Amino acid sequence: MSKKVLVIGESREGSLRNVTFEAIAAANLVSDGGEVVGVLCGDGDLKGMAQEMVYYGAARVITVSNPELKTYTSDGYAQAVQQVIDDESPEGIIMGHTAIGKDLTPKLASRLESGLISDATEVVVEGGDIVFTRPIYSGKAFEKKKITDGLIFATIRPNNIPSLNRDDSLTGAVSEKEVQISNIRTIIKEVLKKSSDGVDLSEAKVIVAGGRGVKSAEGFEPLEKLAEALGGTVGASRGACDAGYCDYSLQIGQTGKVVTPDLYIACGISGAIQHLAGMSNSKVIVAVNKDPEANIFNVADYGIVGDLFDVIPKLTEEIKQMKV
Ligand code: FAD
């Protein structure tokens, strides 16, 4: 049965995050020929980004511009999105499983007295039912969930559901909605930008991650060169972060970021279960470790037993040669 599905878009510094396009693709599937409606909150002119959502498959987009939405707060965004939901009465709502998605969607679900499927890695239609797959037990198993009744409300993990191809011949209405926002209990005094300005880890296609085996902050340099040669970014284990070799914003794992790049190169990482929880769903895993018994080899598609300070520069040179 065709449905109206809202996609809550997310932007950063004036650009939409890729997961917004992935959410539109998931919403198209869930809508089953119905209508996919984008929602975009912020302050100022949101039309350009709204238009991008149309090019990626939203039938129309509602923008909500308000000075109170300049910076994300749970109170502000929940009120704004709820007023759109009240107007639209959708049968489905999809958003990215990002820091904002993880904060906003449970709040909305509770206001709507709805369930929520969080962190879906796949959406398929099985026998007419929409079935979501999501990891459980820190990614050691997957469960399938289908909603038989009521609102279909889900967040999707970035980098798992392919977006539709951008088509700038697509057309769709972009309308503005005015909302009333009050009682924001969070006061944002200042937004500090991270010093690292590489690709966002959760959306990166290639990650070269370093562990305690990297031995120092300088030890990350060969990894940065390899990441640059591959057009990727650098990540880390908690071991490396705890040792002070890098910033905690790079931490991948159970208490860090969950990533699913096309290629994950683990360098000097033992493969503790808490690290695997954040990267074991990567499409191709390469491990470089001098200990042949290291647990990381149990999840790796390709393993190189050796000293990373020998292996990584050679690999970087080979990749550069391939590009010439
Ligand atoms: P180590 O376990 O010390 O491994 C270093 C590896 O480097 C070894 O395998 C060694 O053989 C190899 N090595 C050394 N020198 C070289 C060399 N020259 N060349 C090649 N290989 C070399 N960890 C996370 O990563 N992310 C999390 O989110 C996380 N959350 C946690 C939450 C909790 C509640 C707890 C208790 C722990 C958590 N941990 C997490 C920590 C986790 O248990 C491990 O301690 C940590 O992942 C180990 O980091 P590591 O693999 O870099 O270091």
Side-chain angles (χ1 to χ4, degrees):
M1 203 182 66
S2 62
K3 301 169 200 68
K4 184 196 280 187
V5 182
L6 291 195
V7 171
I8 307 171
E10 204 185 314
S11 65
R12 186 179 283 170
E13 292 171 1
S15 301
L16 286 167
R17 299 193 63 184
N18 285 339
V19 71
T20 299
F21 306 131
E22 295 162 5
I24 293 173
N28 265 288
L29 217 131
V30 172
S31 77
D32 192 17
E35 189 184 30
V36 174
V37 183
V39 183
L40 204 51
C41 299
D43 182 29
D45 187 3
L46 304 171
K47 284 199 193 74
M49 286 192 286
Q51 193 58 55
E52 274 303 303
M53 289 178 82
V54 170
Y55 294 157
Y56 275 93
R60 65 185 166 95
V61 179
I62 299 162
T63 60
V64 186
S65 178
N66 187 302
E68 300 280 23
L69 302 174
K70 185 172 170 33
T71 312
Y72 174 80
T73 60
S74 323
D75 286 334
Y77 272 60
Q79 288 177 54
V81 177
Q82 190 174 357
Q83 286 169 54
V84 176
I85 294 169
D86 290 347
D87 278 1
E88 295 288 329
S89 308
E91 280 109 359
I93 307 174
I94 312 270
M95 186 176 186
H97 194 71
T98 58
I100 289 181
K102 282 185 241 182
D103 185 67
L104 179 63
T105 52
K107 195 174 179 83
L108 283 172
S110 123
R111 285 171 169 230
L112 299 166
E113 296 185 0
S114 147
L116 174 67
I117 293 179
S118 67
D119 202 15
T121 52
E122 193 182 47
V123 190
V124 291
V125 182
E126 274 177 17
D129 293 320
I130 311 286
V131 181
F132 292 89
T133 304
R134 62 182 298 276
I136 50 172
Y137 306 124
S138 301
K140 285 197 281 299
F142 287 86
E143 65 173 354
K144 290 188 170 201
K145 292 237 174 198
K146 75 176 172 207
I147 300 172
T148 49
D149 197 16
L151 182 71
I152 300 173
F153 195 179
T155 60
I156 58 157
R157 185 180 282 198
N159 249 342
N160 279 262
I161 296 166
S163 55
L164 305 170
N165 290 331
R166 183 179 186 276
D167 179 353
D168 58 16
S169 70
L170 291 174
T171 53
V174 174
S175 59
E176 280 179 46
K177 170 155 177 68
E178 281 194 16
V179 291
Q180 305 305 319
I181 296 172
S182 58
N183 279 337
I184 296 185
R185 290 166 294 179
T186 318
I187 298 165
I188 310 282
K189 292 202 164 170
E190 193 182 358
V191 178
L192 297 173
K193 228 181 138 209
K194 270 187 305 192
S195 53
S196 64
D197 52 4
V199 186
D200 178 359
L201 266 181
S202 58
E203 293 194 341
K205 298 281 179 211
V206 177
I207 295 175
V208 181
R212 219 179 327 245
V214 166
K215 294 194 173 67
S216 65
E218 295 71 43
F220 265 91
E221 280 166 20
L223 277 62
E224 279 157 12
K225 288 186 182 147
L226 177 58
E228 195 186 328
L230 290 164
T233 195
V234 168
S237 70
R238 178 157 146 187
C241 300
D242 282 347
Y245 305 160
C246 60
D247 191 85
Y248 277 103
S249 61
L250 299 186
Q251 185 183 321
I252 291 163
Q254 186 181 314
T255 44
K257 298 216 166 70
V258 175
V259 298
T260 18
D262 293 342
L263 175 61
Y264 189 91
I265 306 180
C267 312
I269 294 178
S270 58
I273 191 72
Q274 295 90 351
H275 185 76
L276 302 188
M279 47 63 73
S280 60
N281 290 325
S282 303
K283 290 174 192 90
V284 175
I285 299 172
V286 178
V288 182
N289 198 303
K290 63 183 186 185
D291 173 8
E293 303 296 326
N295 192 44
I296 192 77
F297 290 125
N298 291 326
V299 295
D301 299 284
Y302 300 94
I304 303 172
V305 178
D307 188 321
L308 70 94
F309 296 104
D310 290 335
V311 175
I312 299 301
K314 284 182 188 151
L315 209 53
T316 309
E317 271 319 300
E318 283 296 320
I319 284 155
K320 283 187 180 163
Q321 290 300 322
M322 284 161 70
K323 285 186 171 172
V324 175

